[in-house]
Amino acid sequence: MDHPGADGAQRIGPYALLGRQGTVGGGEVFAARTDDGLLVAVTVVRPELATVPGFRDRLRAAVEAARPLSGPFLLPVVDADADAPVPWLATAFAAGLPLRQAVDRHGPLSEPALRVLADGLGRALAALHAAGTVHGEVSPDSVLLTMDGPRISALGILGATRSPAPSPTDDVFGLGAAVLFAASGGEPDTDALPVSLREVIDGCLYPEPPDRPTAEQLVDYIRRQNLPPLQGSWLPPTVSADLAAATAALGSVSAGGGGRGPLPAPPVSAAGSGMSRRKLIAALAGGAAVLGGAAAALAFSGDSSPAPEGRAGGRGSTTRSASPSAGRPTPSSSASPSSTDGPEPIVLAGPDATKAWSGAGKHAPTCLEASDKVLMVVTDTATSFLDAATGKSVFPQRNTANSFGSSMDKYPTAYADGVFYLLCDTPSQTGLLAAFDAASGKAKWATRMAEVDPGGDTRTGVYLSHYVAVAGDTVYVCGTLLQTSKPFSAKSPTSGYIRAFDAATGKGLWRVKGTDINNVLVPPTGSHLLATSAVPGNKPGRVQMIDAGRKGARGWKVSVRDAGYYFNPGWPLTCYAAGLFLFAGGNGDTLFAVDAATGSQKWHQLFESNSGDQVKIGTPFTALDGTTVFVPVGADLVALATADGTPRWVARLDGANDMGGSDMFNASSRISGKSAQCSADTVFATDAAKTLWAIDAATGRARWRYSDPGQPDVGFRWTVGGDRVFVASHLTLTAIAAHGR
């Protein structure tokens, strides 16, 4: 959904999604408009939330309670649909920048700005609490900085639908954490708070809720200080500059909005500003928008020479202007690259897949893993093993289960060298890492992973497992560390971890953690891992080698500028092939290939749109033999030679997604998880129309396509084993041969 464009914009309800503004706990937030040009902010609910029992009823009730609420720092609810396949909420629009993004880009706020931030959030929460409602989702991601002060929505989806419901003191804690983040620029440090706010913000973060001030008391505390009023803009000049152009182009649109009143349509170009509508949308989306429609034609510009200053994240010397286009390309009429730009795109079209077998179970699978002979099926009650060729049970069922399964940022299964690995629970134990022999289904070992950091009598940290991976004789578990000893980190985690276990015994070997570990790539061989970092205040992101042979010691590192959109906790957004690590850099439009051992750059490939629009590549992945790397870019899937980055073919989607916008590959949206996988000679990839494609790895032509009209709203789960792909849709399991026969 974060692939906005003018003609190819996706829709939800009556709104066309223009640009992604950010992510909050309940979902993703987009700038959007009606067909009449009225601007709103639409929060699209996370798919996994929509499946929680009672969620839709709680959301419906919360929306009705929030509709009449308004205030100078509140964005009122103007529309919602709790019963839509993908629930959504629309609030009044404000031209602004999420607090986290502003601080990541420009550093901590000044003392006067921090007072305005605390006062505005306090007044907004006081209005909510006085009406008997709770936001429940106050964080650096949900706070919007506008020219006229901070803003939060009148309804926080995650908080409003939580059971049991949060309390006003939870909102106050969130306020304190947000102000502390703005003062410290990232890692929480109460010494960074100005004297005028230290006492009251410390009080907001007290561990015992009854000891925290009310929102009204916080506002009164700031008012009684009688400090000089702020002169001029309350925001730093650099942040104001980011907002000025968007605010000018929006004209008379009110920052706070109000009810269902009409909002003026944004002009295509503000008088005298020179800002095009495309640049305006990019500004609203924080520069992370993928523009030009899902089928923008690509031009390539590769080079094996080093990037400037030897940094893999720098802009290469081969940058050139994108080829001009007569108009914005659409799925049915894309401008085609010239012969010097790369291969002619192949529009994907293929027959419906022929099922090898299909059957129904008693419980819906939460995750799947397969070898060439056995399929492991995990549900929220048990783990089963099926014959990959027939679908029949081959081993006794096990009592290990995983209730949440695979999702955008989690993948709790792995297979290597005849062994299945699973993050799971049993009726008597939780937090297990288990290994099963693929030849017998018997458990080889099960290790209960310590869930807390050693800290004496103090609970200092909780490990949340995102995924398991295997390399040689070592099993790795990666995830996020919630540091409960630091209130802000507990509310908004910034640290990741790697834990290594002996694959033969399950014995723990070593662990590392830190804010420089957001997600981790574990190659199938070798001792070099790749970690990407969170983006610290006013600094570029980073990729770095983790040396498993030295128990997780940090190795080489390179900076990646403008990478805030790219480094998300969870499944790695990088890949490995033939001794090279590959990752996005530049402005998100360049693929870099570096030596895994040394970090030296081998080549880089720049992706450009012939329409002149900005391109953002998705999550790269590689063929099993390592000779080809596949790069999703909107509706295009590009195959490059691993050795030098030479384009081999471009496969292109045509048509619409399930919401009526242009179709695109799921891997293009940089959503974590396995949305693309390979067998020996076939590429499997899902798209936004909920179709699974089997693509010939040598030619880029489709072998077959598979879709299920009865699949869940969030789509089906699937995995590849040998020359088969296995699909779970509700209670039904289906196997399809890679060649469709």
Side-chain angles (χ1 to χ4, degrees), residues 113-500:
L114 290 171
R115 291 202 304 270
V116 174
L117 175 66
D119 180 69
L121 293 180
R123 291 175 185 273
L125 292 179
L128 291 180
H129 299 168
T133 65
V134 176
H135 190 278
E137 203 172 349
V138 181
S139 74
D141 296 302
S142 63
V143 174
L144 195 67
L145 305 185
T146 76
M147 297 294 280
D148 300 320
R151 298 288 188 273
I152 59 172
S153 67
L155 176 63
I157 290 176
L158 196 61
T161 58
R162 190 182 305 162
S163 181
S167 69
T169 56
D170 294 320
D171 280 348
V172 171
F173 184 95
L175 182 155
V179 174
L180 179 57
F181 172 82
S184 60
E187 279 297 302
D189 180 5
T190 53
D191 289 339
L193 290 167
V195 175
S196 62
L197 290 175
R198 187 168 301 165
E199 182 180 30
V200 72
I201 297 302
D202 276 347
C204 293
L205 299 174
Y206 282 156
E208 296 300 325
D211 295 335
R212 299 169 193 160
T214 65
E216 192 172 69
Q217 288 171 337
L218 179 143
V219 172
D220 186 62
Y221 176 92
I222 296 174
R223 179 180 62 81
R224 288 176 180 274
Q225 291 181 332
N226 291 320
L227 294 174
L230 185 64
Q231 300 297 320
S233 173
W234 77 284
L235 292 170
T238 51
V239 178
S240 295
D242 275 0
L243 297 178
T247 303
L250 287 172
S252 59
V253 175
S254 168
R260 290 177 176 269
L263 299 172
V268 175
S269 179
S273 70
M275 171 171 278
S276 68
R277 183 175 180 279
R278 178 166 62 86
K279 291 181 179 178
L280 167 62
I281 296 172
L284 298 179
V290 184
L291 301 174
L298 296 176
F300 304 98
S301 181
D303 193 352
S304 59
S305 61
E309 303 177 6
R311 291 176 178 267
R315 174 74 75 169
S317 60
T318 59
T319 301
R320 57 187 169 82
S321 300
S323 303
S325 173
R328 185 179 299 276
T330 66
S332 59
S333 58
S334 297
S336 298
S338 66
S339 59
T340 58
D341 289 329
E344 188 75 16
I346 301 167
V347 177
L348 290 175
D352 290 337
T354 300
K355 300 177 182 179
W357 55 260
S358 186
K362 295 181 179 179
H363 300 276
T366 58
C367 46
L368 306 172
E369 192 68 43
S371 68
D372 59 341
K373 296 181 179 179
V374 177
L375 171 65
M376 181 174 72
V377 182
V378 184
T379 71
D380 59 359
T381 61
T383 300
S384 303
F385 300 91
L386 308 182
D387 186 303
T390 65
K392 298 184 181 299
S393 178
V394 290
F395 308 131
Q397 197 175 72
R398 302 297 172 186
N399 68 346
T400 51
N402 189 301
S403 299
F404 297 100
S406 57
S407 63
M408 289 188 296
D409 63 347
K410 294 184 178 180
Y411 208 88
T413 63
Y415 171 81
D417 300 325
V419 181
F420 289 107
Y421 300 91
L422 172 64
L423 297 171
C424 59
D425 302 319
T426 69
S428 60
Q429 289 185 301
T430 60
L432 295 176
L433 172 62
F436 299 96
D437 189 329
S440 65
K442 294 181 179 179
K444 292 171 61 69
W445 50 260
T447 296
R448 190 173 189 274
M449 297 178 293
E451 295 181 351
V452 298
D453 253 353
D457 295 330
T458 304
R459 183 184 176 97
T460 61
V462 179
Y463 288 91
L464 302 179
S465 300
H466 286 296
Y467 55 93
V468 59
V470 188
D473 57 3
T474 306
V475 184
Y476 299 92
V477 176
C478 306
T480 300
L481 174 62
L482 300 184
Q483 296 180 351
T484 54
S485 61
K486 299 179 179 180
F488 172 74
S489 291
K491 192 73 174 179
S492 181
T494 58
S495 294
Y497 71 84
I498 309 169
R499 305 177 69 178

Side-chain angles (χ1 to χ4, degrees), residues 269-270 355 370 415 425 455 492 560 586 648 652 660 696 712-713 720:
S269 179
K355 300 177 182 179
Y415 171 81
D425 302 319
S492 181
V560 181
R648 290 180 168 173
R652 174 166 294 170
D696 188 313
D713 291 340
V720 175

